[in-house]
Amino acid sequence: MPIYDYHCTSCGSRFERLVRGTATVTCTCGSGAVERLMSLTARPAASAPVGQTPAPAPAAGGCCGGGCRSHSH
Ligand SMILES: [Zn+2]
């Protein structure tokens, strides 16, 4: 069963919910004013909160990371 991310436009909370068929999703605050967000697996890594994603390694690709002197830019 798919798990979706939901955002409650009433209280602003965000939660995940198993969705079965056309079941109506309501927030824990009781509001039905929720909007479905992209699935967890499809969420871009760039939108992950800081601290949960390892910092990108410097000098990615082995060029222009500070130690590249083979050519100028
Ligand atoms: Zn709510």
Side-chain angles (χ1 to χ4, degrees):
M1 276 179 283
I3 300 179
Y4 292 106
D5 246 358
Y6 283 88
H7 171 253
C8 176
T9 59
S10 182
C11 71
S13 68
R14 187 167 166 175
F15 58 95
E16 301 165 17
R17 186 63 52 88
L18 267 172
V19 179
R20 279 175 266 180
T22 56
T24 302
V25 176
T26 54
C27 177
T28 52
C29 73
S31 171
V34 298
E35 52 188 19
R36 194 170 74 185
L37 306 176
M38 297 184 68
S39 69
L40 292 175
T41 52
R43 181 186 303 166
S47 67
V50 176
Q52 293 187 5
T53 304
C63 180
C64 305
C68 177
R69 296 188 181 88
S70 62
H71 59 278
S72 60
H73 292 277

